[in-house]
Amino acid sequence: PQFEGLPLIPFERLKEQYAPDDVEILLGVGYTQMNNVRRRIFEACKQNGYALAQYIHSSVRLSDAKMGEGNIIFEDTLLEPFVQIGSGNIIWYKSVIAHNSTIGNFNLIAGNASICGFSQVKNHCFIGSGAVIRDKIKIEDYTLVGAAAYAAADTQKFQVVAANKGVVLPNKSSLDYI
């Protein structure tokens, strides 16, 4: 409803209708090509003089996080003290970025992901829904950490960290544990 009736303008014609000083652009572009598409549009906006808007839902708990520009952070996300976030990131709902962690540029962190303390997610990474990055881990550029995966060690560029499929423990009963 807030945007109802607003015109849809191709990016190539934006300058014809809106001067860079008159608008900010919110980049709701997904993770295609490991966030490279979002980066290209971000850079084109900057080259044309446009400012990139930041959207941070009112329920986000920020502490003293330092951020670049053009980030989108959805509801109920927690950014603990001394967190640093670059530019052009999308962080979905109920994610946790723990103390002293650094998030680079053009990453997508899906819902319910947890990045533990003193960790680093470099640039162009995809962190899947429910994934966990252990404390003091470095996630290199272009790493894909799949849904529900556990990153327990530093990664290499372009690496994929996948979750184990459900493992049934033979000859074990739930009563053995609880």
Side-chain angles (χ1 to χ4, degrees), residues 45-115:
C45 290
K46 298 297 285 178
Q47 288 170 355
N48 284 297
Y50 289 96
L52 280 296
Q54 192 119 273
Y55 173 78
I56 301 171
H57 191 272
S58 62
S59 65
V60 171
R61 289 172 290 179
L62 282 170
S63 239
D64 61 350
K66 294 181 178 151
M67 276 188 258
E69 61 184 321
N71 293 298
I72 297 174
I73 304 176
F74 288 97
E75 63 271 17
D76 297 322
T77 293
L78 171 60
L79 305 176
E80 290 186 350
F82 312 111
V83 165
Q84 294 183 29
I85 297 175
S87 296
N89 296 289
I90 297 176
I91 303 174
W92 280 93
Y93 59 91
K94 296 184 181 179
S95 291
V96 174
I97 314 295
H99 61 90
N100 302 90
S101 290
T102 302
I103 307 299
N105 301 309
F106 308 108
N107 297 293
L108 186 128
I109 299 171
N112 292 301
S114 294
I115 298 168

